């Protein structure tokens, strides 16, 4: 079992959210519970990929703590801690810690030591934590997410993508993450592109038209057919995460 997995990338739009949602779907199908899904991207669209309706987010909670009346006898710090558990959205077979504002009105960041502490407290009650991160190393460098057991760097198969993934790996290492926790996931893989990287390749997710169709229709990614090739490849990745 590898408790905390963070999905990251150097370039934007490489498929982090797509893969995270399929990974969560595969993990809960395997009966590995309890699972916590964390959306750590201010673009805040993991819940859409998962098809989950969200009313509470980290952003809304934090906003509330700064604008609403705090109950008497409680300071802001105490209030955030008290409110924190209610921010979780209960989905089928897992909990979701959503990011952003519920109405999706733009980006929201929380470089906030207190929230980091809350996340750590909450993490302890789950067997598996999967974090959908933003592109780049903000969370790792700020320490919002500390020391994941697995860092999955998602990249397209091209040479530039591989170089970017290599730089992200170097950065993660320089920030103290051991090299043996860092793995490469090639997404939108195609037979005609040779992929070379010195990051251990843990999964190749094929280009899958069902994903594009779901996206265009605004439908959840997890609704793509069970036999679709990307879903099958992510099932193998999930199997690797929960082995041992
Ligand atoms: P990120 O979270 O890294 O920004 P997304 O998961 O939102 O990336 O994916 C970006 C775009 O790439 C989306 O339009 C998605 O439909 C498409 N995409 C991702 N993975 C695949 C795939 N394996 N096959 C086809 N399209 C994909
Ligand atoms: Mg994303």
């Amino acid at each position: 079992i590898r408790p905390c997995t963070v999905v990251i990338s150097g370039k934007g739009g490489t498929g982090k959210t797509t893969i995270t949602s399929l990974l969560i779907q595969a993990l809960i199908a395997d009966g590995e519970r309890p699972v916590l899904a964390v959306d750590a991207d201010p673009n805040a669209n993991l819940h859409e990929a998962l098809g989950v309706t969200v009313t509470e987010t980290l952003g809304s909670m934090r906003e509330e703590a700064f604008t609403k009346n705090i109950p008497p006898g409680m300071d802001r710090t105490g209030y955030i801690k008290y409110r924190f558990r209610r921010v979780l959205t209960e989905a089928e077979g897992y909990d979701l810690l959503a990011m952003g504002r519920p109405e999706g009105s733009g980006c929201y960041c929380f470089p906030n030591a207190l929230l980091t502490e809350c996340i750590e407290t909450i993490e302890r009650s789950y067997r598996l934590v999967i974090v959908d991160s933003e592109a780049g190393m903000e969370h790792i460098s700020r320490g919002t997410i500390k020391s994941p057991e697995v860092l999955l760097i998602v990249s397209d198969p091209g040479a530039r993508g591989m170089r970017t993934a290599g730089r992200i790996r170097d950065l993660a290492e320089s920030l103290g993450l051991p090299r043996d926790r860092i793995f490469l996931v090639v997404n939108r893989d195609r037979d005609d592109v040779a992929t070379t990287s010195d990051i251990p390749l843990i999964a190749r997710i094929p280009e899958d038209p069902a994903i594009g169709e779901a996206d265009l229709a605004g439908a959840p990614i997890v609704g793509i057919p069970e036999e679709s090739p990307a879903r099958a490849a992510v099932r193998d990745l999930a199997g690797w995460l929960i082995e041992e």
Side-chain angles (χ1 to χ4, degrees), residues 7-9 11-22 41 43 45 49 132-135 154 186-189 205-216 221 229-231 234:
V7 182
I8 206 163
S9 71
K11 286 169 145 191
T14 57
K16 297 176 293 299
T17 301
T18 301
I19 290 171
T20 305
S21 62
L22 294 174
D41 185 346
N43 286 315
N45 57 5
D132 180 20
S133 196
E134 60 194 312
V154 180
V186 171
N187 188 31
R188 315 195 75 156
D189 197 23
I205 318 293
E207 174 72 29
D208 190 333
I211 291 175
E213 280 163 29
D215 242 342
L216 284 176
I221 299 296
R231 238 181 107 166
V234 175

Side-chain angles (χ1 to χ4, degrees), residues 50-99:
L50 288 164
V52 172
T53 306
V54 156
T55 52
E56 287 270 17
T57 72
L58 280 177
S60 65
M61 182 197 71
R62 190 160 182 258
E63 232 162 49
E64 190 187 299
F66 281 87
T67 55
K68 288 233 169 81
N69 286 332
I70 309 285
M74 211 182 249
D75 62 3
R76 217 188 311 280
T77 305
Y79 183 69
I80 290 179
K81 281 191 169 166
Y82 151 81
R83 275 282 277 114
F84 197 69
R85 279 198 171 265
R86 275 175 38 208
V87 176
L88 291 176
T89 303
E90 251 178 67
E92 265 174 65
Y94 63 97
D95 289 339
L96 173 64
L97 180 58
M99 170 64 122

Side-chain angles (χ1 to χ4, degrees), residues 2 7 12 35-36 45 50 54 58 61 79 88 106 118 137 147 149 165 172 175 179-180 183-184 211 223 225 234 242:
R2 300 164 202 271
V7 182
V35 172
L36 174 66
N45 57 5
L50 288 164
V54 156
L58 280 177
M61 182 197 71
Y79 183 69
L88 291 176
C118 291
M137 291 295 284
S147 194
E149 277 77 16
L175 291 165
R179 195 179 251 250
D180 62 4
F183 301 91
L184 177 66
I211 291 175
V234 175
I242 59 179

Side-chain angles (χ1 to χ4, degrees), residues 95-219:
D95 289 339
L96 173 64
L97 180 58
M99 170 64 122
R101 295 180 169 131
E103 69 277 22
S105 61
C107 293
Y108 203 94
C109 304
F110 56 100
N112 183 310
L114 175 65
L115 286 173
T116 303
E117 192 191 303
C118 291
I119 288 172
E120 284 178 353
T121 311
I122 246 174
E123 267 186 339
R124 279 184 226 118
S125 31
Y126 293 87
R127 187 124 183 264
L128 281 168
V129 180
I130 311 289
V131 183
D132 180 20
S133 196
E134 60 194 312
M137 291 295 284
E138 282 293 291
H139 289 304
I140 307 276
S141 61
R142 283 200 207 122
T144 315
I145 299 160
K146 291 208 183 78
S147 194
E149 277 77 16
V150 176
L151 188 70
L152 297 177
I153 303 177
V154 180
S155 174
D156 61 275
R160 188 172 299 124
M162 290 303 112
R163 283 197 295 275
T164 309
R167 283 197 295 274
I168 282 291
R169 188 270 319 274
D170 294 346
L171 191 53
E173 258 196 296
S174 74
L175 291 165
L177 197 73
R179 195 179 251 250
D180 62 4
R181 296 188 187 184
I182 306 172
F183 301 91
L184 177 66
V185 174
V186 171
N187 188 31
R188 315 195 75 156
D189 197 23
R190 297 164 19 166
D191 290 338
D192 58 342
V193 182
T195 299
T196 43
S197 170
D198 60 350
I199 310 171
L201 177 64
I202 206 65
R204 311 180 95 114
I205 318 293
E207 174 72 29
D208 190 333
I211 291 175
E213 280 163 29
D215 242 342
L216 284 176

